[in-house]
Amino acid sequence: MVDKTYYTDEELEEFREIINEKLTLAKRDYDQMMRVLTNQDSNDVDDTSPTYKALEEGSATQSKEELISLAARQQKFIQGLKAALTRIENKTYGIDRITGKLIPKERLRAVPHATLSVESKMAGKK
């Protein structure tokens, strides 16, 4: 039996659906984070007591930094998903960029923007 070197159009369509679903959720989460960061979702009252406000500022700064970091990771995830859609269009989706072999479907279902098999990823970390 010869190893397959690419996924069929039907298989690619299944992955496109998975990616589009994840992309919709990722964009929604990112937009929500950005609304919080730009205070569009705020029910905050700015006239609270100065002492309470001073105590809250340290915590708010840390939370804002964490949210900025999460938003950046989310944006990178969105870019990865969009790149995966491009690879589907080019029919190069699911091909390990080091070995040229197919990445197992199970991995692509779990990490649809993957460009490496688990083996290639582990080999790169040594």
Side-chain angles (χ1 to χ4, degrees):
M1 182 180 131
V2 177
D3 283 343
K4 273 179 38 173
T5 54
Y6 59 89
Y7 283 112
T8 66
D9 289 346
E10 293 78 19
E11 290 167 321
L12 291 175
E13 194 54 41
E14 175 194 341
F15 291 123
R16 184 192 319 272
E17 289 174 18
I18 291 169
I19 292 167
N20 279 327
E21 193 175 306
K22 287 188 181 283
L23 193 55
T24 299
L25 294 173
K27 285 179 179 176
R28 185 200 65 203
D29 291 350
Y30 177 77
D31 289 345
Q32 189 174 356
M33 287 179 216
M34 294 312 291
R35 278 195 303 277
V36 170
L37 284 170
T38 57
N39 290 323
Q40 292 177 6
D41 279 353
S42 181
N43 292 335
D44 223 5
V45 186
D46 283 334
D47 60 357
T48 54
S49 83
T51 308
Y52 176 75
K53 197 159 181 71
L55 291 172
E56 282 292 300
E57 279 181 8
S59 173
T61 300
Q62 183 179 2
S63 294
K64 197 167 196 172
E65 286 171 1
E66 289 169 1
L67 196 55
I68 289 168
S69 177
L70 281 173
R73 284 182 58 200
Q74 194 70 358
Q75 192 171 33
K76 187 177 176 184
F77 180 56
I78 289 167
Q79 289 169 340
L81 291 171
K82 287 180 178 179
L85 287 174
T86 300
R87 289 192 302 279
I88 286 175
E89 291 301 317
N90 298 337
K91 300 203 186 297
T92 59
Y93 179 79
I95 300 171
D96 185 308
R97 62 185 161 89
I98 292 177
T99 65
K101 295 180 180 174
L102 281 184
I103 299 170
K105 283 185 181 182
E106 298 74 33
R107 173 155 170 76
L108 293 172
R109 286 184 184 118
V111 185
H113 58 292
T115 59
L116 295 173
S117 65
V118 173
E119 295 78 17
S120 291
K121 187 171 180 144
M122 293 311 213
K125 289 186 177 184
K126 290 180 182 174

